[in-house]
Amino acid sequence: MLNDPFISGQAAFWAENLIQTPDADFESRLKEVYLKAFSRAPTPVEITNARMFFDEQAAIMASAIETENQELELWKSYCHSIYNLKEFIFLI
């Protein structure tokens, strides 16, 4: 699932839906991801890990992606990682 074009496309679709609510903050979007993927809210550790993921990915993407597209690419990357978690794979 890591390199599957279908999964990558679904991650992009999910990310686009997440950022369509411009006044939503990081935690509300993250909670939406966890509710849809796992039917539960993220734990404090998962929230911290997600913040670290976003910070690290933003640093990597800073020079390669235009600022206006960066948020979409960050959420796309995060959603793609969610699809590949054992907890998600176990559910399908």
Side-chain angles (χ1 to χ4, degrees), residues 3-22:
N3 296 318
D4 189 309
F6 176 75
I7 298 300
S8 180
Q10 292 303 301
F13 180 75
W14 198 1
E16 289 169 5
N17 285 333
L18 285 170
I19 64 171
Q20 283 182 356
T21 309

Side-chain angles (χ1 to χ4, degrees), residues 16-63:
E16 289 169 5
N17 285 333
L18 285 170
I19 64 171
Q20 283 182 356
T21 309
D23 57 336
D25 64 350
F26 174 80
E27 284 198 30
S28 65
R29 288 179 178 156
L30 187 64
K31 287 177 183 177
E32 183 179 338
V33 167
Y34 270 76
L35 286 173
K36 287 185 178 181
F38 309 118
S39 297
R40 64 174 179 81
T43 66
V45 171
E46 289 167 332
I47 294 170
T48 301
N49 289 340
R51 286 189 191 279
M52 289 184 344
F53 177 91
F54 273 79
D55 291 343
E56 290 171 8
Q57 289 297 309
I60 292 168
M61 292 180 184
S63 62

